Amino acid sequence: INECYDGTLTTALEDEKFKATAGATIAFRGLGRLPAKWLLVVGTGANSPEDERRAAGAAASFARDKSLASMRIEVGNHIEHQVEGIIAGNYRFDRYMPEDDRKATLESVVLVNGSEDGVAAGVALGSGRSLCRDLVNGPADDVHPQSMAASAQKLASGRLTVEVWDYEKLKSERMGGIEAVGRGSDRKPTFVHMVYTPAGESAGEVALVGKGVTFDAGGLSIKPSGGMMDMRCDMGGAGAVVGIMSALEALDVKVKVHGIFGAAENMLGPNAYKLGDVLTFRNGKKAEIHNTDAEGRLVLADCLSYASEIEGVTHIVDLATLTGAAVVALGEHFSACYSNDEGFAKQLCAAADAGGEAYWHMPLEKLYADKLKGDMAPLKNIGDRWAGSITAALFLENFVAEGKTWSHLDIAGPALISGKERHLCKGATGAGVPGLLAWLRDWA
């Protein structure tokens, strides 16, 4: 290629002090020297799977910004990760923009020196993440409890079953947390249980539990306007569960997986739950409400109780955009990982790294449990201002049955980004999808 530019390409790279770190780019016009409109030089770092994911994603992001219909790319040999990166980088959420203002998506990609091996897996990984991003990005008028349930129902196939409970059903099933959070809205809450059954004998059985608060106004503990703007995204955990479940069959995951979430709008209204209320959850435990804006844990409490009842399930992972405290502690790049099993936490953190995410193992410190002691009931739903992410995890642990290996992922930081970062555009990232799919695929 350097010869096509009469040897000036390498000089230009040297003049620009281009460093080939993963995802770094520099663009040149084709100028008739190549059968292409653009030449993009992309850094591949050490050519690790994550480096190739970022490099391919950066190229696809460039293509989307330029509305290019096709791309020929030579990155490395990790085809699965290249395809996954291409889908993630080419993603934009622009369905509400005028047609003329939308950037065209890639229609064809040629992988140089590549084979078909890994393409299908890369498409499944990328598509599952994109589905999650679409749900999290969508406005609350379009993504609400009923439409979340419908999104899950669309996935139903021979190996994936979906059961949906409406408001009356979840009330009769003792889902006191979900019912209370959702009762202030005219859109009543729903509960969803998806089951993926692998082909052949199952290697294990797990449950993924997602927080599905499709809009969080804070309830009677109302949020300020600025803090409410992004609260359509408070169903990121449930969105991740849907995205993960959509990819399992294509990836031929060998584990039986239960995808569970409660979906609710936390609104103000004549029937809204109140401070001082005492709620009874599915497992019979009670908690008094000290803040209606600490609602996600109430939804998860019922879902965790339900997941704990499934006899064959040995491992439960819940994920939620749960606390601002996790963002203060770890910023936008790490999900906080808590577990009742240290080895399991390390396993999940390693899987996240393999999937291109970052989980940070946090202490499930019992010394803080006293912060959750209630006056009228054994529990209250919030502690003081200190260790807020830890006390939220401690609250959830009350709803996991003895003998179940459990982890809680607080994805509040990385679920949404305020601007372009790496090869990902502003908005939802699909947090939780890559790491947990890597964990499920590696089950042995």
Side-chain angles (χ1 to χ4, degrees), residues 75-136:
V75 172
N77 298 313
H78 298 100
I79 303 301
E80 174 183 311
H81 303 294
Q82 290 179 39
V83 173
E84 182 186 359
I86 288 167
I87 293 172
N90 201 237
Y91 175 90
R92 297 291 186 274
F93 189 76
D94 58 4
R95 65 181 60 172
Y96 299 99
M97 299 296 290
E99 190 74 35
D100 292 344
D101 292 342
R102 298 181 196 176
K103 302 289 187 180
T105 187
L106 280 167
E107 296 176 7
S108 66
V109 178
V110 176
L111 301 170
V112 178
N113 297 328
S115 69
E116 292 186 4
D117 294 340
V119 171
V123 169
L125 290 165
S127 298
R129 189 172 192 175
S130 293
L131 174 56
C132 174
R133 294 171 82 180
D134 280 347
L135 290 170
V136 178

Coordinates of all heavy atoms in Angstrom, one line a residue, residues 75-136:
V75 N -7.0 -7.1 10.2 CA -6.6 -6.7 11.6 C -5.7 -7.8 12.2 O -4.7 -7.5 12.8 CB -7.9 -6.5 12.4 CG1 -7.5 -6.4 13.9 CG2 -8.6 -5.3 12.0
G76 N -6.1 -9.0 12.1 CA -5.4 -10.1 12.7 C -6.1 -11.4 12.5 O -6.8 -11.6 11.5
N77 N -6.0 -12.3 13.4 CA -6.5 -13.7 13.2 C -7.7 -14.0 14.2 O -8.2 -15.2 14.1 CB -5.4 -14.7 13.4 CG -4.3 -14.5 12.4 OD1 -4.5 -14.4 11.2 ND2 -3.0 -14.5 12.8
H78 N -8.0 -13.2 15.1 CA -9.1 -13.5 16.0 C -10.4 -13.0 15.3 O -11.0 -12.0 15.7 CB -8.9 -12.8 17.3 CG -7.7 -13.2 18.0 ND1 -6.5 -12.4 18.0 CD2 -7.4 -14.3 18.8 CE1 -5.6 -13.1 18.7 NE2 -6.1 -14.2 19.2
I79 N -10.9 -13.8 14.4 CA -12.1 -13.5 13.6 C -13.3 -13.2 14.4 O -14.0 -12.2 14.2 CB -12.4 -14.6 12.5 CG1 -11.1 -14.8 11.7 CG2 -13.6 -14.1 11.7 CD1 -10.6 -13.6 10.9
E80 N -13.6 -14.0 15.4 CA -14.8 -13.8 16.2 C -14.7 -12.4 16.9 O -15.8 -11.7 16.9 CB -14.8 -14.9 17.3 CG -15.9 -14.7 18.4 CD -15.8 -15.8 19.4 OE1 -15.7 -17.0 19.1 OE2 -15.9 -15.4 20.6
H81 N -13.6 -12.0 17.4 CA -13.5 -10.8 18.1 C -13.5 -9.6 17.2 O -14.0 -8.5 17.5 CB -12.3 -10.8 19.0 CG -12.2 -11.9 20.0 ND1 -13.1 -12.0 21.0 CD2 -11.4 -13.0 20.0 CE1 -12.9 -13.1 21.7 NE2 -11.9 -13.7 21.1
Q82 N -13.0 -9.8 16.0 CA -13.1 -8.7 14.9 C -14.6 -8.5 14.6 O -15.0 -7.3 14.5 CB -12.3 -9.2 13.7 CG -10.8 -9.2 13.8 CD -10.2 -9.6 12.5 OE1 -10.6 -9.3 11.4 NE2 -9.1 -10.4 12.6
V83 N -15.3 -9.5 14.3 CA -16.7 -9.4 14.0 C -17.5 -8.7 15.1 O -18.3 -7.8 14.9 CB -17.3 -10.7 13.6 CG1 -18.8 -10.6 13.4 CG2 -16.6 -11.3 12.3
E84 N -17.2 -9.2 16.3 CA -17.9 -8.6 17.5 C -17.6 -7.1 17.6 O -18.5 -6.3 17.8 CB -17.4 -9.3 18.7 CG -18.1 -8.8 20.0 CD -17.4 -9.4 21.2 OE1 -16.5 -10.3 21.1 OE2 -17.9 -9.1 22.3
G85 N -16.3 -6.7 17.3 CA -15.9 -5.3 17.4 C -16.5 -4.5 16.3 O -16.9 -3.3 16.5
I86 N -16.6 -5.1 15.1 CA -17.2 -4.4 13.9 C -18.7 -4.0 14.2 O -19.1 -2.9 14.0 CB -17.1 -5.2 12.7 CG1 -15.7 -5.3 12.2 CG2 -18.0 -4.7 11.6 CD1 -15.4 -6.3 11.1
I87 N -19.4 -5.0 14.8 CA -20.8 -4.7 15.1 C -21.0 -3.6 16.2 O -21.8 -2.7 16.1 CB -21.5 -6.0 15.5 CG1 -21.6 -7.0 14.3 CG2 -22.9 -5.7 16.0 CD1 -22.1 -8.3 14.7
A88 N -20.1 -3.7 17.2 CA -20.2 -2.7 18.3 C -19.8 -1.4 17.8 O -20.4 -0.3 18.2 CB -19.3 -3.2 19.4
G89 N -18.7 -1.3 17.0 CA -18.2 0.0 16.5 C -19.2 0.7 15.5 O -19.3 1.9 15.4
N90 N -19.8 -0.1 14.7 CA -20.7 0.4 13.7 C -22.1 0.8 14.2 O -22.9 1.4 13.5 CB -20.9 -0.7 12.6 CG -21.3 -0.1 11.2 OD1 -22.4 -0.4 10.7 ND2 -20.6 0.9 10.7
Y91 N -22.4 0.5 15.5 CA -23.7 0.7 16.1 C -23.9 2.2 16.3 O -23.0 2.9 16.8 CB -23.7 0.0 17.4 CG -25.0 0.3 18.2 CD1 -26.1 -0.5 18.1 CD2 -25.1 1.4 19.1 CE1 -27.3 -0.3 18.8 CE2 -26.3 1.6 19.8 CZ -27.4 0.8 19.6 OH -28.5 1.1 20.3
R92 N -25.1 2.6 16.0 CA -25.6 4.0 16.4 C -27.0 3.9 16.7 O -27.8 3.1 16.1 CB -25.4 5.0 15.2 CG -24.0 5.3 14.7 CD -23.1 6.0 15.8 NE -21.8 6.4 15.3 CZ -20.8 5.5 15.3 NH1 -20.9 4.3 15.8 NH2 -19.6 5.9 14.8
F93 N -27.5 4.7 17.6 CA -28.9 4.7 18.0 C -29.5 6.0 17.4 O -29.5 7.1 18.0 CB -29.1 4.7 19.5 CG -30.6 4.5 19.9 CD1 -31.2 3.2 19.8 CD2 -31.3 5.5 20.3 CE1 -32.5 3.0 20.1 CE2 -32.7 5.4 20.7 CZ -33.2 4.1 20.6
D94 N -30.0 5.9 16.2 CA -30.5 7.1 15.5 C -31.8 7.0 14.9 O -32.2 7.7 14.0 CB -29.4 7.5 14.4 CG -29.2 6.5 13.4 OD1 -29.9 5.4 13.4 OD2 -28.4 6.7 12.5
R95 N -32.6 6.0 15.4 CA -33.9 5.7 14.8 C -34.9 6.9 14.9 O -35.9 6.9 14.1 CB -34.5 4.5 15.4 CG -34.9 4.7 16.9 CD -35.5 3.4 17.5 NE -34.5 2.3 17.4 CZ -34.7 1.1 18.0 NH1 -35.8 0.9 18.7 NH2 -33.8 0.2 17.9
Y96 N -34.7 7.8 15.8 CA -35.6 9.0 15.9 C -35.1 10.2 15.1 O -35.8 11.2 15.1 CB -35.8 9.3 17.4 CG -36.4 8.2 18.2 CD1 -35.6 7.3 18.9 CD2 -37.8 7.9 18.1 CE1 -36.1 6.3 19.6 CE2 -38.3 6.9 18.8 CZ -37.5 6.0 19.6 OH -38.0 5.0 20.3
M97 N -34.0 10.1 14.5 CA -33.4 11.2 13.7 C -34.1 11.2 12.3 O -34.5 10.2 11.8 CB -31.9 11.1 13.5 CG -31.2 11.1 14.9 SD -31.3 12.7 15.7 CE -30.4 13.7 14.7
P98 N -34.2 12.4 11.6 CA -34.6 12.4 10.3 C -33.8 11.5 9.4 O -32.6 11.3 9.6 CB -34.5 13.9 9.9 CG -34.5 14.6 11.1 CD -33.8 13.7 12.1
E99 N -34.4 10.9 8.4 CA -33.7 10.0 7.5 C -32.5 10.6 6.9 O -31.4 9.9 6.9 CB -34.7 9.6 6.4 CG -34.2 8.4 5.5 CD -34.3 7.1 6.3 OE1 -35.2 6.9 7.0 OE2 -33.4 6.2 6.0
D100 N -32.5 11.8 6.6 CA -31.3 12.4 5.9 C -30.2 12.6 6.9 O -29.0 12.8 6.5 CB -31.7 13.8 5.3 CG -32.6 13.7 4.1 OD1 -32.7 12.5 3.6 OD2 -33.2 14.7 3.7
D101 N -30.5 12.6 8.2 CA -29.4 12.8 9.2 C -28.8 11.5 9.7 O -27.9 11.6 10.5 CB -30.0 13.6 10.4 CG -30.3 15.1 10.0 OD1 -29.8 15.5 9.0 OD2 -31.1 15.7 10.7
R102 N -29.3 10.4 9.3 CA -28.8 9.1 9.8 C -27.6 8.7 9.0 O -27.5 8.9 7.8 CB -29.9 8.0 9.7 CG -31.1 8.3 10.5 CD -32.1 7.2 10.3 NE -33.4 7.5 10.8 CZ -34.5 6.8 10.7 NH1 -34.4 5.6 10.1 NH2 -35.7 7.2 11.1
K103 N -26.6 8.1 9.7 CA -25.5 7.6 9.0 C -25.7 6.2 8.6 O -26.2 5.3 9.4 CB -24.3 7.6 10.0 CG -23.9 9.0 10.5 CD -23.3 9.9 9.5 CE -22.8 11.2 10.1 NZ -22.2 12.1 9.0
A104 N -25.4 5.9 7.3 CA -25.7 4.5 6.8 C -24.8 3.5 7.5 O -23.6 3.7 7.8 CB -25.4 4.5 5.3
T105 N -25.4 2.3 7.8 CA -24.7 1.3 8.4 C -23.9 0.4 7.3 O -24.3 0.5 6.1 CB -25.6 0.3 9.2 OG1 -24.8 -0.6 9.9 CG2 -26.6 -0.4 8.2
L106 N -22.9 -0.3 7.7 CA -22.2 -1.1 6.8 C -23.1 -2.2 6.3 O -23.8 -2.8 7.0 CB -21.0 -1.8 7.5 CG -19.7 -1.0 7.7 CD1 -18.8 -1.6 8.7 CD2 -19.0 -0.7 6.4
E107 N -22.9 -2.5 5.0 CA -23.7 -3.5 4.3 C -22.9 -4.8 4.1 O -23.4 -5.9 4.0 CB -24.3 -3.0 3.0 CG -25.3 -1.9 3.2 CD -25.8 -1.3 1.9 OE1 -25.5 -1.9 0.8 OE2 -26.6 -0.3 1.9
S108 N -21.6 -4.6 3.9 CA -20.7 -5.7 3.6 C -19.3 -5.4 4.2 O -18.8 -4.3 4.2 CB -20.6 -6.0 2.1 OG -19.9 -5.0 1.4
V109 N -18.7 -6.5 4.7 CA -17.3 -6.4 5.2 C -16.5 -7.6 4.7 O -17.0 -8.7 4.8 CB -17.3 -6.4 6.8 CG1 -15.9 -6.4 7.3 CG2 -18.2 -5.2 7.3
V110 N -15.4 -7.3 4.2 CA -14.4 -8.4 3.8 C -13.3 -8.5 4.8 O -12.6 -7.5 5.1 CB -13.8 -8.1 2.4 CG1 -12.8 -9.1 2.0 CG2 -14.9 -8.0 1.3
L111 N -13.2 -9.7 5.4 CA -12.1 -9.9 6.4 C -11.0 -10.6 5.6 O -11.0 -11.7 5.2 CB -12.6 -10.8 7.5 CG -13.8 -10.3 8.3 CD1 -14.4 -11.4 9.2 CD2 -13.4 -9.1 9.1
V112 N -9.9 -9.8 5.5 CA -8.7 -10.3 4.7 C -8.0 -11.4 5.5 O -7.8 -11.2 6.8 CB -7.8 -9.2 4.4 CG1 -6.5 -9.7 3.7 CG2 -8.5 -8.1 3.6
N113 N -7.6 -12.5 4.9 CA -7.0 -13.6 5.5 C -7.8 -14.3 6.6 O -7.4 -15.0 7.4 CB -5.6 -13.2 6.2 CG -4.6 -12.7 5.2 OD1 -4.6 -13.1 4.0 ND2 -3.8 -11.7 5.6
G114 N -9.1 -14.0 6.5 CA -10.0 -14.6 7.5 C -10.7 -15.8 6.9 O -10.7 -16.1 5.7
S115 N -11.4 -16.5 7.8 CA -12.2 -17.7 7.4 C -13.6 -17.5 8.0 O -13.8 -16.5 8.8 CB -11.6 -19.0 7.9 OG -11.6 -19.1 9.3
E116 N -14.5 -18.4 7.7 CA -15.8 -18.3 8.3 C -15.8 -18.7 9.7 O -16.8 -18.5 10.4 CB -16.8 -19.1 7.5 CG -17.0 -18.6 6.0 CD -18.1 -19.4 5.3 OE1 -18.7 -20.3 5.9 OE2 -18.3 -19.1 4.1
D117 N -14.8 -19.4 10.2 CA -14.7 -19.8 11.6 C -14.8 -18.6 12.5 O -13.9 -17.7 12.4 CB -13.4 -20.6 11.8 CG -13.4 -21.9 11.1 OD1 -14.5 -22.4 10.7 OD2 -12.3 -22.5 10.9
G118 N -15.7 -18.6 13.4 CA -15.8 -17.5 14.3 C -16.7 -16.4 13.9 O -17.1 -15.6 14.7
V119 N -17.1 -16.4 12.6 CA -18.0 -15.3 12.2 C -19.4 -15.4 12.9 O -19.9 -14.4 13.4 CB -18.2 -15.3 10.6 CG1 -19.3 -14.4 10.2 CG2 -16.9 -15.0 10.0
A120 N -20.0 -16.6 12.9 CA -21.3 -16.8 13.5 C -21.3 -16.4 15.0 O -22.2 -15.7 15.5 CB -21.8 -18.2 13.3
A121 N -20.2 -16.8 15.7 CA -20.1 -16.5 17.1 C -20.0 -15.0 17.3 O -20.6 -14.4 18.2 CB -18.9 -17.2 17.7
G122 N -19.2 -14.3 16.4 CA -19.0 -12.9 16.5 C -20.3 -12.1 16.3 O -20.6 -11.1 16.9
V123 N -21.1 -12.6 15.3 CA -22.4 -12.0 15.0 C -23.3 -12.2 16.2 O -24.0 -11.2 16.6 CB -23.0 -12.6 13.7 CG1 -24.4 -12.2 13.6 CG2 -22.2 -12.2 12.5
A124 N -23.3 -13.3 16.8 CA -24.2 -13.6 18.0 C -23.8 -12.7 19.1 O -24.7 -12.1 19.8 CB -24.1 -15.0 18.4
L125 N -22.5 -12.6 19.4 CA -22.0 -11.7 20.5 C -22.4 -10.2 20.2 O -22.9 -9.5 21.1 CB -20.5 -11.9 20.7 CG -20.0 -13.2 21.2 CD1 -18.5 -13.4 21.0 CD2 -20.3 -13.3 22.7
G126 N -22.1 -9.8 19.0 CA -22.3 -8.4 18.7 C -23.8 -8.1 18.6 O -24.2 -7.0 19.1
S127 N -24.6 -9.0 18.1 CA -26.1 -8.7 18.0 C -26.7 -8.7 19.4 O -27.6 -7.9 19.7 CB -26.7 -9.8 17.1 OG -26.2 -9.7 15.8
G128 N -26.3 -9.6 20.3 CA -26.8 -9.6 21.7 C -26.5 -8.3 22.4 O -27.4 -7.8 23.1
R129 N -25.3 -7.8 22.2 CA -25.0 -6.5 22.8 C -25.8 -5.4 22.2 O -26.2 -4.5 22.9 CB -23.5 -6.3 22.6 CG -22.9 -5.1 23.4 CD -21.4 -5.1 23.3 NE -20.8 -4.1 24.2 CZ -19.6 -4.0 24.4 NH1 -18.7 -4.7 23.7 NH2 -19.1 -3.1 25.3
S130 N -26.0 -5.4 20.9 CA -26.7 -4.4 20.2 C -28.2 -4.4 20.7 O -28.8 -3.3 20.8 CB -26.7 -4.5 18.7 OG -25.4 -4.3 18.2
L131 N -28.8 -5.6 20.9 CA -30.1 -5.6 21.4 C -30.2 -5.0 22.7 O -31.2 -4.2 23.0 CB -30.6 -7.1 21.5 CG -32.0 -7.3 22.1 CD1 -33.1 -6.6 21.4 CD2 -32.3 -8.9 22.1
C132 N -29.3 -5.3 23.6 CA -29.3 -4.6 24.9 C -29.1 -3.1 24.8 O -29.9 -2.3 25.4 CB -28.1 -5.2 25.8 SG -27.9 -4.3 27.3
R133 N -28.3 -2.7 23.9 CA -28.0 -1.2 23.7 C -29.3 -0.5 23.2 O -29.7 0.6 23.6 CB -26.9 -1.0 22.8 CG -25.5 -1.4 23.4 CD -24.4 -1.4 22.3 NE -23.9 -0.1 22.2 CZ -22.9 0.2 21.3 NH1 -22.3 -0.7 20.6 NH2 -22.4 1.5 21.3
D134 N -30.0 -1.2 22.3 CA -31.3 -0.6 21.8 C -32.3 -0.5 22.9 O -33.0 0.6 23.0 CB -31.9 -1.5 20.7 CG -31.2 -1.3 19.3 OD1 -30.5 -0.3 19.2 OD2 -31.4 -2.2 18.5
L135 N -32.4 -1.5 23.8 CA -33.4 -1.4 24.9 C -33.0 -0.3 25.9 O -33.9 0.5 26.3 CB -33.5 -2.8 25.6 CG -34.1 -3.9 24.8 CD1 -33.9 -5.2 25.5 CD2 -35.6 -3.6 24.6
V136 N -31.7 -0.2 26.2 CA -31.3 0.8 27.2 C -31.4 2.2 26.6 O -31.7 3.1 27.3 CB -29.9 0.4 27.7 CG1 -29.4 1.5 28.7 CG2 -29.9 -0.9 28.4

